[in-house]
Amino acid sequence: MSSLLKIRAERDQMSAIERRIADFMLENAHLLRDYSSQQLADALQISQSSVVKFSQKLGFKGYPDLKYSIGEAVARGSDVPVKATAKSARATVRESLAETLWQSKSRAEEETRLINDAGTLNEIATLLSRAGKVFCIGFGDDGLAAQAFAQRLALLGTLALHHADAVPMTANISSAERGDVLVVFSEQGQHAALNQLCRQFRERQGKVVSVTRHTSNPLRAHADATLLVSAHDERSHVQPLLYQSALQHLLDQIFVLMCDGDRLEQLNTNLEHVQHLLDPKL
């Protein structure tokens, strides 16, 4: 597991001092070999013990091991953002933008994969597969993701209900039963109405799955299982693109895990029906 990717993935869960250390390491990875733990602490105006504890929290014995791991990542070059190369300098502006965006999306998807272990994904796929009904809700861009996910579940033969409004969803939840699942999409996990829906759903002994950023937020506290997204970029117009890309990749993993046996057969049958509707000549 790349140390730089792990730092980026865990950054949202860190304290203020830890984020300062993380940001310095990410921005100056190629220079870190010249810094001792004391020099790094002096540069950031923090204690040397904070640097050591930061390294240990990431699973390393100490700062020297972390520095060595980062040095290996820099040498490989795959985990360090490429600012400029001879090839990109010769490329057209459009090609350069496309390459940079692709690299950023790839990093976001890998960071997101690192923080969602296989056990959690299997658990959520099993919950959804066994559910009598699956309710999906989200607002704004989260609502688009919720709608698309509900449609995919429907193709698998799951009774999936989607709403982008808390009021009709409240009415639907009144029909929820033990074993049903509510999937709540909220990037920041702060919306009070969604938290209220989660409480109501759990009162009916249903299971709640939250889909949020990798931050501490109220929605995660109300969930039985969580899907987490890590996607960062200083450019305000790019960061939402990275979030949606990483989120889609995460949901695709859940969908593929559910595609087995009778469900896969049902999916193929439904896809044939859809194709006939779109092209009656077939």
Side-chain angles (χ1 to χ4, degrees):
M1 179 187 301
S2 163
S3 52
L4 290 175
L5 280 172
K6 188 169 186 179
I7 290 172
R8 275 194 290 264
E10 296 292 338
R11 184 186 180 281
D12 287 342
Q13 294 288 85
M14 295 177 180
S15 66
I17 291 179
E18 290 169 344
R19 285 196 297 271
R20 286 172 59 192
I21 301 173
D23 291 343
F24 184 90
M25 289 183 172
L26 292 172
E27 294 169 7
N28 303 279
H30 60 295
L31 301 175
L32 206 60
R33 65 180 183 276
D34 299 324
Y35 281 81
S36 67
S37 59
Q38 186 60 63
Q39 289 171 325
L40 178 57
D42 292 341
L44 295 173
Q45 297 184 333
I46 59 177
S47 67
Q48 184 181 20
S49 63
S50 295
V51 176
V52 175
K53 290 177 181 177
F54 175 86
S55 305
Q56 293 172 340
K57 188 172 181 179
L58 289 173
F60 295 90
K61 292 181 179 179
Y63 173 72
D65 288 337
L66 174 57
K67 183 169 70 169
Y68 178 78
S69 178
I70 291 176
E72 286 190 320
V74 172
R76 289 195 302 269
S78 59
D79 301 324
V80 181
V82 178
K83 296 183 182 297
T85 64
K87 181 179 179 180
S88 64
R90 294 191 300 268
T92 64
V93 172
R94 186 172 64 181
E95 290 172 340
S96 179
L97 286 174
E99 178 71 13
T100 300
L101 182 59
W102 179 83
Q103 290 177 350
S104 297
K105 285 185 175 182
S106 296
R107 284 195 298 273
E109 290 172 7
E110 187 166 0
E111 291 168 20
T112 297
R113 187 165 63 251
L114 289 174
I115 59 177
N116 294 275
D117 61 83
T120 297
L121 298 184
N122 281 315
E123 176 191 357
I124 292 174
T126 299
L127 282 175
L128 295 172
S129 296
R130 294 177 177 174
K133 298 184 291 295
V134 177
F135 302 79
C136 298
I137 188 169
F139 303 144
D141 287 344
D142 290 316
L144 298 177
Q147 181 180 16
F149 189 60
Q151 289 173 347
R152 285 196 171 190
L153 293 180
L155 288 173
L156 288 174
T158 298
L159 178 56
L161 306 172
H162 162 261
H163 276 296
D165 189 321
V167 175
M169 181 58 85
T170 299
N172 279 338
I173 283 177
S174 64
S175 66
E177 300 174 342
R178 180 192 294 271
D180 288 348
V181 177
L182 172 65
V183 186
V184 187
F185 293 74
S186 177
E187 181 174 352
Q188 305 303 332
Q190 301 287 346
H191 204 291
L194 295 179
N195 291 321
Q196 180 62 33
L197 285 174
C198 291
R199 285 192 290 268
Q200 294 173 1
F201 198 82
R202 295 187 72 178
E203 287 174 0
R204 303 196 66 82
Q205 300 185 19
K207 297 292 186 179
V208 175
V209 176
S210 66
V211 186
T212 72
R213 276 193 174 275
H214 185 36
T215 58
S216 298
N217 59 72
L219 188 56
R220 286 181 64 182
H222 291 297
D224 298 285
T226 61
L227 289 173
L228 304 171
V229 178
S230 177
H232 306 282
D233 198 284
E234 294 179 357
R235 297 163 293 178
S236 60
H237 63 292
V238 172
Q239 181 160 278
L241 305 180
L242 304 187
Y243 180 87
Q244 292 299 324
S245 177
L247 170 60
Q248 187 59 60
H249 187 69
L250 184 59
L251 296 176
D252 288 346
Q253 292 179 71
I254 297 294
F255 177 76
V256 170
L257 285 171
M258 295 178 66
C259 291
D260 61 357
D262 293 339
R263 287 187 176 276
L264 184 57
E265 184 177 342
Q266 182 67 62
L267 172 64
N268 292 329
T269 299
N270 287 336
L271 288 176
E272 288 181 9
H273 292 164
V274 170
Q275 189 60 40
H276 280 293
L277 288 174
L278 297 176
D279 190 352
K281 296 179 182 179
L282 294 178

